Amino acid sequence: MHMSGACTEWNSDRTPKYANVLVGYDPPGKETGKLNSRQGAALPLEPSAAVNLGNIGGSRMISVLIAGIAVAVALTTTNAQSTSRGSERKPAAAPRRATSVRISVRDQHRATLAGVHLLLSGAAAGAFTTGATGTAVIPNVKEGLYRVRCERAGFITLEREFTVRAGARNAIDVILNAAAPPAPPVAKSAPASPSPQSGPLVAMSIPDFLDRNFIGKEPVKESILACTPQETVRLLQMREGSAPHVHDRADEIIYVVAGEGTLLRGKDTVPLRAASLVVVPRGRDHAFERRGRKPLIVVSTLAGTACEPAATAR
């Protein structure tokens, strides 16, 4: 670097008006003394700071020149640094290398599973299927984070994340658990059969009916008072008791109209007199026993089964 300075203009009182500084810059490696670029700086001097060269001599003149040289050096250094930064370049990022991934699928018993549908997503995407050995090799996979979804009929779908690294062994082992068997279909119940139609309305006076149909000398007399698809209403007149019997399909409701007697149920006995009411459940054996001189008269209703008009007296 070469620098020189001179005062080119003077005031009337012999003080410098401007100090011109000439700077030459030699790039590195060039021969010293050859000026390749030049920058000039004219430094104005305020009147209050002006120096009378006639009074101060050469030393003050040298001080003025040194100040101008410092300014020129600062400008030159700044330009050199800017040029150096511009020449620096960042190195290009290395491209991601591709590799392969081997995915093996087994069941909970460690048996290989063929035909598993694999859906790959992440840094790359694709669809694959495991072969007869339960494996699938995915080629040309770049480094990065991936997710694979494993689907097969009869097994619970599974998703798994994994990271692929170049130069490493990228082997992924997946275990699929068998899905629970589907619940059997609910059997539809047969539609309920419609209720049978009831019979006609029946209304009568029991005393009046007995006046017209009183028992004679026979041991038992049965009269059907009402006959419907769901019940049979009978009037029983008994001069003698009845043998034990069972109604398998009907409950028997007994109301005593007149007379006295006993209802026998195994070892149990139930006294019967006028206005007594007894209900015998179906399937229970029972029998009647008359007491006194008058016949035992009861209204017996067999509920829960169709009327059988030809039923024998019980």
Side-chain angles (χ1 to χ4, degrees), residues 36-305:
N36 295 325
S37 61
R38 294 187 178 182
Q39 295 183 359
L43 303 179
L45 300 178
E46 296 295 332
S48 59
V51 180
N52 191 327
L53 296 179
N55 297 328
I56 62 175
S59 62
R60 289 294 181 90
M61 183 64 181
I62 293 173
S63 299
V64 172
L65 292 177
I66 290 173
I69 291 171
V71 173
V73 169
L75 293 174
T76 304
T77 302
T78 302
N79 291 336
Q81 291 176 349
S82 300
T83 304
S84 176
R85 291 192 189 100
S87 62
E88 294 180 357
R89 295 181 179 180
K90 295 182 179 180
R96 293 190 297 178
R97 293 178 293 175
T99 183
S100 63
V101 177
R102 180 186 180 91
I103 300 179
S104 301
V105 185
R106 299 174 181 268
D107 63 10
Q108 65 268 36
H109 304 296
R110 309 299 298 178
T112 58
L113 289 176
V116 179
H117 191 50
L118 306 176
L119 295 177
L120 185 69
S121 60
F128 306 88
T129 303
T130 59
T133 60
T135 60
V137 177
I138 304 175
N140 301 323
V141 180
K142 296 182 179 180
E143 295 178 306
L145 181 64
Y146 292 84
R147 177 185 292 269
V148 62
R149 180 182 177 90
C150 306
E151 300 177 345
R152 189 178 188 274
F155 290 84
I156 300 175
T157 299
L158 177 69
E159 291 189 1
R160 180 173 173 182
E161 286 187 349
F162 60 93
T163 302
V164 174
R165 295 181 176 86
R169 181 176 178 272
N170 298 294
I172 310 301
D173 294 325
V174 177
I175 301 295
L176 293 184
N177 294 319
V186 179
K188 295 182 179 180
S189 57
S193 57
S195 300
Q197 295 182 353
S198 181
L201 175 66
V202 177
M204 66 175 61
S205 169
I206 298 298
D208 292 344
F209 183 86
L210 286 172
D211 289 342
R212 297 189 303 268
N213 300 279
F214 193 72
I215 186 173
K217 294 181 179 181
E218 62 266 33
V220 177
K221 183 176 182 179
E222 176 187 35
S223 303
I224 302 299
L225 304 181
C227 186
T228 71
Q230 297 185 21
E231 61 189 5
T232 302
V233 182
R234 308 174 297 167
L235 181 66
L236 300 179
Q237 303 179 65
M238 295 173 283
R239 290 188 179 277
E240 298 179 2
S242 66
H245 58 279
V246 176
H247 303 288
D248 293 329
R249 298 179 298 165
D251 301 326
E252 185 173 9
I253 304 170
I254 301 167
Y255 179 77
V256 180
V257 177
E260 293 183 356
T262 302
L263 179 69
L264 305 176
R265 293 188 60 249
K267 296 181 180 181
D268 298 330
T269 59
V270 179
L272 299 176
R273 60 180 60 92
S276 296
L277 177 67
V278 180
V279 177
V280 181
R282 65 188 66 189
R284 300 290 183 87
D285 63 318
H286 57 284
F288 291 102
E289 187 179 80
R290 183 186 66 87
R291 290 183 181 179
R293 298 177 60 182
K294 295 180 179 180
L296 177 61
I297 303 173
V298 301
V299 174
S300 170
T301 301
L302 300 176
T305 186

